Amino acid sequence: MDDLKLADAVLNQPVIETERFLLRPLRPSDAGMIAHYTSDRRVAEGTRAIPHPLPPGAAEDFVARALSAKRLEDVWAIDGSGHRLAELLGVVSLTRMEGDQSELGFWIGAGFWNTGFATEAVEALVAANPHRSRTLFAEAFQDNPGSARVLTNCGFVYLGDAESWSVARGARVPTWTYLRKMD
């Protein structure tokens, strides 16, 4: 992707600063670390869409979709390089839904679990509300209480139980669904 197209793709996606890192649009150089982190079965199985094992080129395709001007999902790299941390700690995303609503998603590299990075990233994205959403939705697999804690710590309220397909698990997985009304 040439520099002009890349600049166009991220034009409407703000950089958001937190105490320990930046949330910034993905860039092609992130694909290697995305492939590295998501090759961990535990990371892949904590998501709906990441396959395990990760097929060749999947991380590059994910970055290309995240940079597309026609995307429905905005993806931010959690970049700690300005604070002597890894350049990519994980990702956080917002997917546009109908009626001024968005769905929030996130994953963190396993080496950074239990550091508060996920909570800090979600808090920052909620505070910035770049989609100007009136409602945010999120879900966590029921066997991942850490992700559920991130959501409740960030003001999401439990809505109910559901199920979602996990590509890595090749199965439907029980979920907890959450809602956050925005001011």
Side-chain angles (χ1 to χ4, degrees):
M1 177 175 285
D2 67 35
D3 288 343
L4 185 56
K5 286 183 184 175
L6 182 59
D8 288 344
V10 300
L11 183 61
N12 295 319
Q13 190 174 335
V15 172
I16 302 165
E17 189 168 354
T18 78
E19 187 176 319
R20 298 185 288 175
F21 48 75
L22 288 177
L23 301 180
R24 60 159 172 82
L26 292 183
R27 49 188 175 223
S29 61
D30 292 326
M33 289 309 295
I34 290 170
H36 172 71
Y37 292 142
T38 59
S39 69
D40 184 321
R41 178 181 294 276
R42 298 169 300 166
V43 173
E45 288 183 350
T47 72
R48 290 186 302 209
I50 299 172
H52 190 273
L54 196 66
E60 291 82 2
D61 290 345
F62 173 72
V63 172
R65 284 191 309 277
L67 296 175
S68 168
K70 296 179 182 176
R71 69 188 181 274
L72 295 176
E73 178 183 36
D74 288 329
V75 182
W76 285 264
I78 303 170
D79 183 338
S81 62
H83 296 273
R84 296 184 175 182
L85 297 167
E87 186 173 348
L88 186 81
L89 304 164
V91 302
V92 63
S93 66
L94 288 174
T95 302
R96 295 176 199 285
M97 300 169 68
E98 61 188 41
D100 296 329
Q101 301 176 95
S102 295
E103 182 176 18
L104 180 132
F106 62 92
W107 60 259
I108 300 290
F112 306 109
W113 289 353
N114 300 310
T115 60
F117 291 155
T119 298
E120 190 173 335
V122 170
E123 282 176 339
L125 195 57
V126 167
N129 193 13
H131 285 184
R132 304 290 181 249
S133 300
R134 61 181 175 78
T135 307
L136 297 177
F137 292 94
E139 70 179 8
F141 289 142
Q142 290 183 12
D143 60 3
N144 186 353
S147 286
R149 274 191 306 278
V150 167
L151 295 171
T152 58
N153 287 343
C154 294
F156 283 78
V157 176
Y158 171 76
L159 272 182
D161 294 359
E163 287 184 334
S164 284
W165 182 260
S166 168
V167 174
R169 299 179 195 208
R172 289 190 129 342
V173 180
T175 62
W176 293 307
T177 304
Y178 294 87
L179 165 88
R180 166 83 193 249
K181 291 191 180 211
M182 305 299 287
D183 298 328

